[in-house]
Amino acid sequence: MNSYSVILENLVKYFGRRLVFNGIDRRFDSGNIYGVAGPNGSGKSTIVKIIANLISPTKGKVIHLHGDKKINYEHLHNYIGFVSPYLFLYDEFTARENLLYFSKIRGIDYDEEYANFLLSELNIYKRKDDVIRGYSSGMKQRLKFIFALIHNPSLVILDEPTSNLDTPGKEKVYEIIDKNRNDKLFIIASNEESDLSLCGEIINLENFKNNGI
Ligand SMILES: Nc1ncnc2c1ncn2[C@@H]1O[C@H](COP(=O)(O)OP(=O)(O)OP(=O)(O)O)[C@@H](O)[C@H]1O
């Protein structure tokens, strides 16, 4: 498996005149788990969305490397798994249909066996043919993990990964992260101490608020 890296070069984000963060230079390498911390509104979701190329930085850039090859943004979705409170599932479809259509949209072969394995791991296999509308918030969160992992991505970005999860759900998520920590790159945005305790290195966004004055 090739290594995967994300390089942030002088990343700056403003929304209008409000500075979110300024001057972030970092390199993240696979085989590691990185944390992004900071109080509510400090920019954790914003920075991970920028890393996933869902929104643009005001200044600076993000480089994704697979081995020593730079990845074009149009192919980025093949390499990234993203769990986020901002990710929406199709409420009228079942879990299985959601996974199937998601794979089609992404142009990846749907691996039913692997999907069933993940559904069992996350303990929602028995509900896979129920429409999502009837899922609890914790079940939806479990399904988001399956979405993030189904295409075996090199980079897994987790924004508030354990929100709505019960203790067995959290433990399962930590177990999956631990199993994959050697060959994937994990970036976890969270304020939960138990999430951050998995991380070898933590960026606190409070340290990137100065205006350069
Ligand atoms: N689309 C947007 N337009 C304007 N301001 C925004 C937008 N998205 C986020 N912000 C602002 O950017 C700042 C950072 O928000 P963000 O959601 O990244 O913080 P967070 O650290 O993830 O917060 P929380 O811990 O509450 O989830 C906040 O001041 C927020 O109001």
Side-chain angles (χ1 to χ4, degrees), residues 15 18 20 38-47 49 86 159-160 191 205:
F15 281 113
R18 180 185 293 123
V20 185
N40 292 143
S42 61
K44 300 181 295 298
S45 293
T46 301
I47 194 169
K49 283 182 195 164
Y86 301 99
D159 188 2
E160 296 180 20
N191 269 325
L205 293 180

Side-chain angles (χ1 to χ4, degrees), residues 89 91 132-133 135-144:
L89 306 163
D91 251 16
I132 304 301
R133 190 174 0 99
Y135 272 34
S136 72
S137 52
M139 288 165 67
K140 285 185 186 169
Q141 184 69 6
R142 286 164 184 252
L143 185 56
K144 285 182 183 181

Side-chain angles (χ1 to χ4, degrees), residues 140-151:
K140 285 185 186 169
Q141 184 69 6
R142 286 164 184 252
L143 185 56
K144 285 182 183 181
F145 261 89
I146 301 175
F147 271 84
L149 298 171
I150 186 98
H151 55 306

Side-chain angles (χ1 to χ4, degrees), residues 42-164:
S42 61
K44 300 181 295 298
S45 293
T46 301
I47 194 169
V48 293
K49 283 182 195 164
I50 291 173
I51 292 171
N53 193 36
L54 298 174
I55 60 172
S56 301
T58 306
K59 261 201 243 162
K61 61 180 171 184
V62 179
I63 298 163
H64 289 253
L65 294 175
H66 189 224
D68 53 8
K69 225 177 107 211
K70 210 163 145 179
I71 299 167
N72 282 335
Y73 277 165
E74 73 228 52
H75 299 132
L76 208 51
H77 60 274
N78 294 326
Y79 296 89
I80 300 183
F82 197 17
V83 172
S84 158
Y86 301 99
L87 172 75
F88 292 100
L89 306 163
Y90 292 104
D91 251 16
E92 303 306 317
F93 291 173
T94 68
R96 191 179 163 278
E97 286 166 346
N98 265 285
L99 290 166
L100 195 64
Y101 292 127
F102 167 81
S103 301
K104 277 199 177 159
I105 289 165
R106 287 199 149 175
I108 55 168
D109 287 334
Y110 177 64
D111 183 343
E112 181 104 51
E113 204 178 314
Y114 189 51
N116 285 343
F117 166 76
L118 290 172
L119 285 159
S120 305
E121 280 280 282
L122 272 307
N123 211 13
I124 49 173
Y125 179 80
K126 283 189 192 147
R127 302 289 297 271
K128 72 179 191 314
D129 295 315
D130 292 355
V131 291
I132 304 301
R133 190 174 0 99
Y135 272 34
S136 72
S137 52
M139 288 165 67
K140 285 185 186 169
Q141 184 69 6
R142 286 164 184 252
L143 185 56
K144 285 182 183 181
F145 261 89
I146 301 175
F147 271 84
L149 298 171
I150 186 98
H151 55 306
N152 196 20
S154 303
L155 167 61
V156 183
I157 300 174
L158 304 174
D159 188 2
E160 296 180 20
T162 53
S163 70
N164 297 315

Side-chain angles (χ1 to χ4, degrees), residues 183-201:
D183 57 13
K184 293 191 192 298
L185 164 56
F186 285 94
I187 300 175
I188 303 177
S190 181
N191 269 325
E192 281 287 318
E193 281 201 14
S194 56
D195 296 352
L196 294 173
S197 70
L198 304 171
C199 304
E201 199 181 301

